[in-house]
């Protein structure tokens, strides 16, 4: 039902590294449109990945597909954190995995050609400003394993807001400019 989702988390989705498979990535235009429709104002959307380009693509898609529906925030809204039993404390320490698999670090790879729709739309003043800690206070196994290996996590938190009606800025500016021109016109 519309307005039924209060918190959605997307954590370390399959990166679909091959360019021809990128259409299978989890965060798509359609998913973001559905989330915007079914999340009430004040609900939060948390995304994270251990692959920088996947996190960038998720943030870009969220920022551009539903303009004005989601805004980036740095922490959970106070009321939501209290209701969910979360507090403002930092996330728990990751479980140190003595025998953590070496894994592969894809951070510097040119994943799938490095191109995707809406590229750069999620950046704020040229930077993605990833969250340093998990705002939910509980790590997934993938997140814990990644941090234990000394690799970074790329996190973003969005809050659902009511979309603002597009202001008729251009016609107003044009009308003011026309009015100024008539004042300056010689008689």
């Amino acid at each position: 039902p519309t307005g039924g989702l209060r918190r959605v988390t997307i954590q370390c989705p399959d990166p679909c590294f091959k360019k021809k498979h990128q259409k299978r990535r989890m965060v798509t235009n359609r998913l973001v449109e559905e989330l915007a429709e079914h999340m009430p104002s004040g609900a939060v959307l948390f995304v994270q990945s251990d692959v920088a380009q996947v996190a960038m693509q998720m943030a870009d898609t969220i920022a551009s597909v539903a303009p004005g529906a989601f805004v980036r925030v740095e922490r959970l809204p106070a009321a939501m954190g209290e209701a969910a039993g979360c507090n403002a404390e930092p996330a728990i320490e990751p479980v140190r995995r003595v025998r953590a698999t070496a894994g592969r670090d894809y951070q510097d790879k040119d994943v799938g050609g490095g191109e995707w729709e809406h590229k750069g739309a999620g950046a704020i003043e040229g930077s993605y400003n990833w969250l340093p800690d998990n705002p939910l206070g509980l790590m997934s196994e993938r997140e814990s394993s990644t941090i234990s290996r000394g690799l970074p996590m790329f996190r973003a938190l969005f809050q659902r807001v009511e979309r603002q009606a597009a202001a008729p800025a251009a016609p107003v500016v044009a009308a003011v400019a026309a009015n100024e021109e008539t004042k300056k016109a010689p008689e």
Side-chain angles (χ1 to χ4, degrees), residues 2 26 31 34 49 55 57 87 90 104 107 136 153 157 173 182 184:
T2 300
M26 183 172 190
L31 177 68
E34 291 285 329
S49 178
Q57 181 262 335
N87 53 29
R104 293 175 66 184
Q107 311 318 318
L136 304 178
M153 290 298 296
L157 185 64
V173 170
T182 57
K184 292 178 184 177

Side-chain angles (χ1 to χ4, degrees), residues 36 49 78 103 125-126 146 170 179:
S49 178
E125 297 177 4
T146 299
N179 189 23

Side-chain angles (χ1 to χ4, degrees), residues 5-6 39-45 69 77 80 158-162:
L5 298 173
R6 298 288 304 151
M39 293 176 78
S41 181
V44 294
L45 170 59
M80 177 165 277
F158 296 86
Q159 185 171 12
R160 176 73 169 88
V161 294
E162 290 300 321

Side-chain angles (χ1 to χ4, degrees), residues 138-154:
L138 184 61
M139 293 186 182
S140 68
E141 286 187 32
R142 177 66 179 226
E143 181 180 8
S144 177
S145 175
T146 299
I147 291 171
S148 291
R149 289 182 279 140
L151 299 174
M153 290 298 296
F154 305 92

Side-chain angles (χ1 to χ4, degrees), residues 60-131:
D60 291 344
T61 302
I62 293 164
S64 64
V65 171
F70 294 98
V71 295
R72 291 277 295 266
V73 294
E74 293 183 12
R75 63 181 66 84
L76 287 174
M80 177 165 277
E82 292 166 8
C86 295
N87 53 29
E89 308 255 338
I92 61 173
E93 283 295 314
V95 175
R96 300 292 172 203
R97 300 176 190 276
V98 185
R99 296 180 173 254
T101 58
R104 293 175 66 184
D105 182 6
Y106 292 101
Q107 311 318 318
D108 297 324
K109 298 283 184 183
D110 189 22
V111 179
E115 294 297 323
W116 56 88
E117 188 179 14
H118 317 298
K119 186 171 184 174
I124 301 168
E125 297 177 4
S127 174
Y128 283 91
N129 299 321
W130 303 118
L131 296 174

